[in-house]
Amino acid sequence: MNSPEIRNPKSEIRNLESIPEWGIKQLNDSKNYLSYQHTEQSRQFLNEPAMILALFYGNQAGKTAIVAYNYVDRIFGKHPIAKKNVLYFECDNRSIQTEVPGIYEGHTFAPYKVNNGNMARCPTCDAKLQPHIRNARIFRFSSENLPTQAEDTNEEGGSSAEVRNTQYPEFKKWLPSYLIKKDIVARNASMIVKCPFGGNDIIVEFTSYGQTKGSQKGVQRMSVWMDEEPSLGYFEEQLPRIIMEEGDLIITFTPTEAITYLYDMIFERAKIYYRTKTMCKEYYKKVEKRDVAQIERTQSNQDIAVFQAATSDNPVYRNRDVKGIFGVYDDIDMFYMRFFGIFKAISGRIFKCFDPSIHIIDEDKYFKEVA
């Protein structure tokens, strides 16, 4: 018999034959989440505690998948940075934070018991571990378009609506469907997600950069994810939204134009850089002729971490000549931006073949009558 509750099949599993019907459904729904293919940088991203995390990746390098998966980890209480989980525990003196130290009993949460049934305690001060109480359980996902912004959007937010907004389909790919209590609709771009521990619902709100500043205010958010570059005003408006919940701000961006404010405010001011081997060898060594470390710490006092990866670092492209595909760009700077996610000060194709002997004329010769 199917259960309407969210339950952990492991609590009732004795052998494969004993898995209840609802447990089989939940395991099937979790197939994508359980099969996520980690990379060295995805693990670095998940274990980085910085307040601002910026992924400057080449096109199709996997940045959207890494971030979307990270939010599902938070919902399940499995994120390695304890305070990033929707539910986490801390002692009375806040000297330790840890992921959920407990077990599931049906659809309810039971505190973890040790030795003679004593409550788990902080190894630093011996105080009891207690669940952290959040004022808000809201994640904000922002991009140029809402998931429902499409010409043929229907009441249920049709499939074409997913094309223009990459956050929504990627998040749904990794989030088991049994946790979705209410999906987005044309009039309300917020998804309501059931709490796996039986607590208050979790809200994932989708916003667009075109919305007014007033519509972006309100209660606090646990985290804000901005896909591609927002306006400076929109970016600055998000920072106050994460203060009370000690949240974080995530940026996923592939440069496609000249250097922008993200270069000066984020990339140049990072306190730590994480780079893949491809970035170090194929770009910095071969193109810029300099050696850089895969993990580089700076003297910056800004709580910013930058992650860099090339298109070919995406594990799904293994054994494919993706670099050759990007070779169709006749503008080398555009290739560097698209493939390596590098900020370049480009001036446009028309100036690439500029020749002073041809394109500069003698004004005395041609405009001698002009005063």
Side-chain angles (χ1 to χ4, degrees):
M1 185 172 111
N2 290 328
S3 170
E5 305 284 5
I6 299 173
R7 302 164 66 183
N8 180 13
K10 291 183 179 179
S11 65
E12 297 186 19
I13 294 176
R14 298 296 179 271
N15 52 58
L16 293 177
E17 289 73 22
S18 69
I19 301 178
E21 184 179 346
W22 62 266
I24 293 175
K25 181 183 184 303
Q26 289 190 9
L27 288 172
N28 287 333
D29 287 347
S30 304
K31 177 178 63 176
N32 288 339
Y33 172 70
L34 296 174
S35 62
Y36 180 83
Q37 188 174 353
H38 279 286
T39 63
E40 180 182 31
Q41 189 153 102
S42 72
R43 293 188 176 92
Q44 291 170 337
F45 173 79
L46 290 173
N47 283 279
E48 173 53 53
M51 181 183 70
I52 298 178
L53 302 102
L55 290 81
F56 297 121
Y57 277 27
N59 280 131
Q60 302 297 313
K63 60 184 182 295
T64 308
I66 290 176
V67 178
Y69 175 86
N70 132 88
Y71 283 108
V72 179
D73 253 6
R74 297 182 185 202
I75 291 170
F76 276 118
K78 295 299 183 182
H79 198 286
I81 305 298
K83 71 176 184 179
K84 292 189 176 185
N85 289 309
V86 176
L87 175 63
Y88 69 92
F89 278 60
E90 60 190 3
C91 73
D92 295 336
N93 298 319
R94 292 176 60 90
S95 62
I96 187 174
Q97 296 172 331
T98 179
E99 65 179 11
V100 181
I103 59 174
Y104 301 98
E105 292 183 353
H107 67 285
T108 60
F109 173 77
Y112 179 70
K113 304 293 184 179
V114 294
N115 298 329
N116 297 320
N118 297 318
M119 176 72 79
R121 291 182 174 274
C122 173
T124 303
C125 64
D126 199 41
K128 289 183 179 180
L129 292 177
Q130 302 290 345
H132 175 82
I133 305 301
R134 289 190 179 277
N135 295 314
R137 289 185 161 203
I138 304 174
F139 292 125
R140 170 177 284 177
F141 295 177
S142 302
S143 66
E144 188 66 34
N145 300 289
L146 291 171
T148 52
Q149 281 184 268
E151 293 182 358
D152 56 342
T153 300
N154 54 38
E155 184 65 20
E156 291 72 35
S159 59
S160 62
E162 301 177 359
V163 175
R164 298 183 63 185
N165 179 293
T166 60
Q167 294 170 307
Y168 174 67
E170 195 67 37
F171 179 65
K172 286 193 69 175
K173 174 182 177 179
W174 304 110
L175 180 72
S177 59
Y178 70 86
L179 287 177
I180 300 177
K181 184 175 182 179
K182 185 177 180 180
D183 207 344
I184 65 169
V185 294
R187 293 190 297 270
N188 186 359
S190 292
M191 179 188 296
I192 300 178
V193 179
K194 300 175 186 177
C195 176
F197 309 106
N200 294 332
D201 292 334
I202 301 159
I203 298 175
V204 180
E205 61 174 11
F206 294 87
T207 63
S208 74
Y209 300 148
Q211 292 176 291
T212 62
K213 289 186 178 180
S215 66
Q216 303 304 310
K217 297 181 180 180
V219 297
Q220 291 287 306
R221 274 73 181 173
M222 293 180 289
S223 178
V224 176
W225 171 19
M226 292 180 286
D227 187 41
E228 301 306 329
E229 185 179 51
S231 67
L232 178 58
Y234 189 98
F235 173 84
E236 293 177 335
E237 180 60 35
Q238 306 313 305
L239 294 173
R241 306 278 77 80
I242 61 174
I243 295 175
M244 292 298 295
E245 291 297 329
E246 298 182 85
D248 63 329
L249 190 152
I250 300 175
I251 304 166
T252 48
F253 181 53
T254 297
T256 57
E257 298 179 358
I259 289 176
T260 67
Y261 75 87
L262 286 179
Y263 178 78
D264 297 319
M265 288 184 62
I266 304 299
F267 186 83
E268 284 284 273
R269 301 169 68 188
K271 71 175 182 180
I272 185 168
Y273 295 87
Y274 295 94
R275 307 180 180 100
T276 62
K277 293 179 180 178
T278 302
M279 291 300 302
C280 293
K281 295 180 179 180
E282 298 298 321
Y283 180 75
Y284 286 105
K285 182 67 173 179
K286 291 185 177 181
V287 179
E288 295 195 357
K289 309 299 182 185
R290 62 189 181 99
D291 293 316
V292 298
Q294 279 190 256
I295 300 178
E296 178 185 355
R297 300 182 186 277
T298 71
Q299 299 301 313
S300 174
N301 61 359
Q302 301 298 312
D303 199 13
I304 300 172
V306 163
F307 299 81
Q308 293 183 275
T311 299
S312 57
D313 286 312
N314 191 328
V316 304
Y317 297 142
R318 191 167 288 125
N319 300 321
R320 296 186 191 178
D321 183 20
V322 291
K323 194 171 183 179
I325 296 174
F326 278 75
V328 300
Y329 289 107
D330 57 2
D331 187 325
I332 190 62
D333 287 336
M334 183 60 68
F335 168 76
Y336 292 148
M337 290 192 297
R338 292 286 189 178
F339 190 81
F340 294 110
I342 292 293
F343 288 93
K344 299 291 289 185
I346 61 175
S347 53
R349 288 185 211 166
I350 192 170
F351 300 109
K352 292 297 180 181
C353 299
F354 180 82
D355 185 340
S357 65
I358 299 174
H359 300 105
I360 295 180
I361 63 175
D362 185 347
E363 62 179 33
D364 292 331
K365 178 179 178 181
Y366 293 97
F367 302 99
K368 58 184 178 181
E369 295 180 358
V370 179

